[in-house]
Amino acid sequence: MLYREAGQFKTTYSADQQIFPILQDRIGFFVTMAVAFIAIPMFAGDYLTQTIFIPFLVLSVAAIGLNLLTGYAGQLSLGTGGFMATGAFAAYKLATSFPDLNIIFVFILAGLITALVGILFGIPSLRIKGFYLAVATLAAQFFLLWLFNKVPWFTNYSSSGVISAPPMSIFGVFVTGTEASHTAKYFFLLVLVTLLALAAKNMVRGHIGRAWMAVRDMDIAAEIIGIRPLQTKLAAFAISSFYCGIAGAAWAFIYTGSVEPLAFNIDVSFRILFMIIIGGLGSILGSFLGAGFIILLPVFLTNAPHMLGLNIPVDIISHMEVMVFGALIIFFLIVEPHGLARLWQIGKEKLRLWPFPY
Amino acid sequence: MDFLYNLLIDPLVQIFTYPIFALEVLIGGLLSGVMYSLVALGFVLIFKASGVFNFAQGAMVLFAALFFAGFIDTGLPWYIALLLTIGVMVLLAMTIERVVLRPLVNQPHIILFMATIGITYFLDGFGQTIWGSSVRVLDLGIPNNPMEFGGVLINQFDMVAAVVAGTLVAALAVFFQKTRVGRALRAVADDHQAALSVGIPLKTIWAIVWTVAGLVGLVAGIMWGAKLGVQFSLAMVALKALPVLILGGFTSIPGAIIGGLIIGAGEKLAEVFWAPAIGGGIEDWFAYMLALAFLLFRPQGLFGEKIIERV
């Protein structure tokens, strides 16, 4: 009843091809946008913005990036952390070498540099696939982190190996550095994420997204119907790395402010993989849902013993957290292997009839 | 120019100037490669029989080592501790089969892979919740000092590890070739459906495979634990076993052994002779790069099955 598309007729092709063809989806989208742009900055305090919303936005960019590669193009990658580190360090080098460069260009150029690195490490995907490829992308992870750790040029010869974002502004408002307010950071990220997500959504609906999905479903068949595997796979690696690079730059510049290579270790890669699997492979919405889930889960686990009134030593809690995290991952995979996005789809189906039986 | 000299010429000069030293490095590398093979074996067993890429193998190594060292620290004699740990690993295998694998039958491989990463987190947390995260020393009474064989120094502990690994592989080979269960395992590895249709109970077989992998993990855990101390970093050993796997092929036991030898030797030689030229600490990624370069020429690994694809 609530979610009925009956009676919504389309009279033009453009109306038929819009991103949200159903009225309820459009309302839902604008409500979400209104909440994100108006309600959250008004009501969420600095603490919530800094600990939940900013990392959520940053990691959802990375999740979208990995989802394009793994969910749409079917190339399993465990090198996300390495690509994020590339983005962060590229942005740092750009921002310190060209102080006058606008932060938007810094981020975009950092993304492009990461895309080049991504293409380089994507070349093996032309020969190998599946788990062989996943293990091969670990090479990117370890090699890139080692590079940023060992070559002092990347950190401008800082003795600790830590990079700190220089203060940068956009339209006269600081968005990085210590002077930046959390609200300014939040808005900057939100606009960035909205644009990137819309771009991703349009990409996967278009020519290139269809080519990716064809390669994912069966690459030989895709080749036979005239999709070039070389260009398609490398484009997937490039665009995915572009997103990951921007996510890494945003992580270093906006979320933490200063970062060392180890912050992008293999754990990060796994977490982002969890996000897209729990959120839903091959779904942009799923990337957001998964990012939210993986961000909120540790917060919940840390606070749960207090809420229950249990008094457990801190080190045991941290081990238990890891344990429960693993158990919940398995639980979610068993309950809904296709992720939260699939649950949302099932919910929509139910809402078409609800509250009537049929 | 200097850099190129250090990278291309100097290492070779050194190798030919100090052939005994180079030989020692090579043998040390081969022996440590055997240790990688021990971990890689567990991966291969499970991948062959169920097509699951078991990322939790490293966690199982840590888990087994933690329980073994923990039981010994409580004052039990080693054989009882060993029996108890074997019991724990069997129980673990059965639980994993019942709780994780059975509900996920027929799911895509990536989902099973993610589930094993979940198992990894769970086992890491569980083992450390019970036994704590402090480093435990596991003393097996094997001297850890070099011995001389015909002018070449070789670490005794590594020799023992190599013998243990050799025995293990021989035992596995006998188990797979000569016993009824072993034949059933090979049948399942070849074709699940055909195996089912001749009456091989798939679920039991999977539990057995995970048990065997758990026991291999136990052996690896004991050897690595005695070498490095039983601690969290043991789980990271698994990351070293992955390039061994892709080099040797996911489905081949001899591949795991030979891959381990190549990776171990290559890594040690590179670390000693080439690393100074490019900044050191290259052990983290050298194995991956070696495997990656290798894959470009042989995508299925050294001994992996060539996959024939049809549309």
Side-chain angles (χ1 to χ4, degrees):
Chain A
M1 186 63 192
L2 287 175
Y3 199 88
R4 266 227 162 129
E5 64 271 47
Q8 300 180 19
F9 301 113
K10 305 285 186 300
T11 48
T12 56
Y13 281 117
S14 59
D16 201 34
Q17 289 179 346
Q18 56 189 325
I19 297 183
F20 301 107
I22 297 168
L23 179 68
Q24 286 88 337
D25 276 344
R26 278 198 296 279
I27 296 175
F29 174 74
F30 286 115
V31 169
T32 316
M33 284 285 109
V35 169
F37 273 97
I38 301 166
I40 289 178
M42 271 174 73
F43 298 114
D46 270 358
Y47 178 73
L48 272 186
T49 312
Q50 172 67 17
T51 52
I52 307 245
F53 293 115
I54 290 182
F56 165 71
L57 289 175
V58 172
L59 289 181
S60 35
V61 176
I64 292 174
L66 186 61
N67 219 337
L68 291 179
L69 183 63
T70 304
Y72 285 97
Q75 312 294 312
L76 188 53
S77 162
L78 295 174
T80 323
F83 295 133
M84 283 173 74
T86 311
F89 279 82
Y92 175 71
K93 281 309 282 185
L94 286 166
T96 47
S97 313
F98 309 100
D100 293 332
L101 204 59
N102 192 300
I103 184 163
I104 295 175
F105 292 108
V106 169
F107 274 36
I108 290 175
L109 285 174
L112 289 176
I113 291 170
T114 316
L116 284 180
V117 176
I119 291 176
L120 198 65
F121 281 98
I123 291 172
S125 73
L126 306 171
R127 293 277 286 167
I128 55 182
K129 54 182 108 173
F131 293 122
Y132 283 92
L133 179 65
V135 176
T137 54
L138 275 176
Q141 171 76 39
F142 290 117
F143 177 74
L144 290 170
L145 285 200
W146 172 85
L147 192 70
F148 299 133
N149 242 333
K150 285 287 170 194
V151 182
W153 181 77
F154 287 107
T155 54
N156 281 354
Y157 304 94
S158 111
S159 53
S160 56
V162 177
I163 55 169
S164 309
M168 298 179 88
S169 61
I170 180 166
F171 304 127
V173 183
F174 279 103
V175 288
T176 69
T178 45
E179 284 174 53
S181 74
H182 291 307
T183 321
K185 289 180 182 177
Y186 175 79
F187 269 114
F188 176 68
L189 266 182
L190 189 60
V191 172
L192 191 76
V193 171
T194 313
L195 292 178
L196 285 173
L198 283 176
K201 183 76 192 169
N202 276 316
M203 240 180 312
V204 299
R205 300 186 319 146
H207 176 256
I208 189 154
R210 280 156 202 268
W212 285 340
M213 286 186 263
V215 166
R216 169 192 69 189
D217 291 341
M218 185 172 249
D219 52 356
I220 295 183
E223 205 174 335
I224 289 168
I225 60 169
I227 291 166
R228 299 176 181 191
L230 175 80
Q231 280 90 332
T232 314
K233 284 182 179 175
L234 289 187
F237 266 95
I239 294 169
S240 156
S241 307
F242 179 81
Y243 277 73
C244 291
I246 288 192
W251 180 276
F253 274 50
I254 295 175
Y255 174 46
T256 54
S258 64
V259 82
E260 53 177 351
L262 277 182
F264 298 106
N265 65 8
I266 186 159
D267 233 30
V268 174
S269 303
F270 280 140
R271 269 178 197 244
I272 291 167
L273 193 60
F274 276 141
M275 282 174 198
I276 66 166
I277 298 229
I278 289 195
L281 282 171
S283 156
I284 301 291
L285 172 72
S287 313
F288 285 101
L289 296 177
F293 182 83
I294 297 290
I295 296 243
L296 289 178
L297 188 60
V299 177
F300 169 73
L301 288 179
T302 319
N303 292 317
H306 288 297
M307 289 180 206
L308 295 172
L310 297 174
N311 201 1
I312 310 173
V314 180
D315 60 326
I316 301 244
I317 286 195
S318 68
H319 294 321
M320 300 254 287
E321 239 179 80
V322 176
M323 190 174 129
V324 176
F325 185 74
L328 276 177
I329 299 285
I330 297 172
F331 174 76
F332 264 86
L333 287 176
I334 291 173
V335 174
E336 188 44 87
H338 300 288
L340 297 170
R342 173 88 186 126
L343 280 184
W344 169 234
Q345 222 172 7
I346 296 172
K348 281 202 291 194
E349 289 294 315
K350 291 256 162 66
L351 279 177
R352 293 174 81 182
L353 297 175
W354 186 86
F356 304 115
Y358 37 73
Chain B
M1 247 353 257
D2 245 14
F3 177 73
L4 280 183
Y5 173 80
N6 282 335
L7 191 66
L8 297 177
I9 317 255
D10 192 45
L12 297 177
V13 172
Q14 282 194 20
I15 288 176
F16 284 108
T17 332
Y18 309 105
I20 299 285
F21 177 60
L23 191 65
E24 279 172 17
V25 172
L26 180 69
I27 291 175
L30 287 175
L31 292 176
S32 69
V34 170
M35 301 280 279
Y36 294 144
S37 303
L38 271 179
V39 184
L41 266 181
F43 281 100
V44 171
L45 285 175
I46 289 179
F47 191 81
K48 250 174 100 80
S50 55
V52 176
F53 183 70
N54 176 29
F55 197 80
Q57 187 65 31
M60 278 160 80
V61 168
L62 171 68
F63 193 74
L66 270 177
F67 269 82
F68 185 64
F71 283 138
I72 283 190
D73 278 1
T74 54
L76 292 170
W78 67 269
Y79 46 91
I80 298 200
L82 190 66
L83 280 179
L84 279 176
T85 317
I86 290 177
V88 169
M89 295 317 282
V90 173
L91 204 64
L92 176 72
M94 283 161 67
T95 319
I96 289 178
E97 193 275 324
R98 184 72 196 80
V99 178
V100 182
L101 296 181
R102 213 179 286 182
L104 287 176
V105 165
N106 273 339
Q107 293 295 346
H109 286 172
I110 181 170
I111 301 290
L112 283 158
F113 170 63
M114 291 310 293
T116 63
I117 299 184
I119 297 175
T120 309
Y121 277 88
F122 182 81
L123 290 183
D124 284 351
F126 187 52
Q128 293 188 80
T129 308
I130 293 182
W131 300 110
S133 46
S134 53
V135 181
R136 283 166 196 274
V137 181
L138 192 60
D139 190 9
L140 300 179
I142 306 169
N144 195 3
N145 45 25
M147 248 167 75
E148 203 176 308
F149 288 95
V152 180
L153 289 174
I154 297 174
N155 192 319
Q156 277 183 346
F157 181 85
D158 289 347
M159 287 289 289
V160 175
V163 172
V164 169
T167 321
L168 187 71
V169 171
L172 280 176
V174 171
F175 173 67
F176 271 89
Q177 300 293 335
K178 301 288 176 194
T179 66
R180 201 179 148 78
V181 179
R183 271 200 294 275
L185 285 176
R186 279 191 294 148
V188 171
D190 267 357
D191 190 332
H192 288 181
Q193 285 189 340
L196 264 177
S197 65
V198 296
I200 295 169
L202 209 52
K203 287 165 185 161
T204 323
I205 292 296
W206 280 356
I208 292 174
V209 168
W210 279 76
T211 309
V212 175
L215 296 183
V216 172
L218 173 63
V219 175
I222 292 174
M223 299 315 289
W224 276 100
K227 190 172 171 136
L228 304 175
V230 178
Q231 54 178 322
F232 181 69
S233 64
L234 277 192
M236 295 297 123
V237 168
L239 292 176
K240 279 292 179 56
L242 294 179
V244 172
L245 277 181
I246 50 176
L247 196 67
F250 278 172
T251 49
S252 161
I253 290 180
I257 306 289
I258 295 180
L261 294 178
I262 296 176
I263 294 278
E267 192 177 84
K268 277 281 182 304
L269 286 174
E271 181 69 30
V272 171
F273 293 105
W274 275 273
I278 53 173
I282 65 172
E283 274 186 331
D284 273 351
W285 56 267
F286 179 78
Y288 284 94
M289 284 300 187
L290 192 66
L292 197 56
F294 187 81
L295 277 184
L296 289 177
F297 300 101
R298 237 187 113 78
Q300 70 275 23
L302 265 179
F303 298 94
E305 292 162 37
K306 190 155 181 71
I307 307 156
I308 301 167
E309 287 187 65
R310 298 182 177 86
V311 180

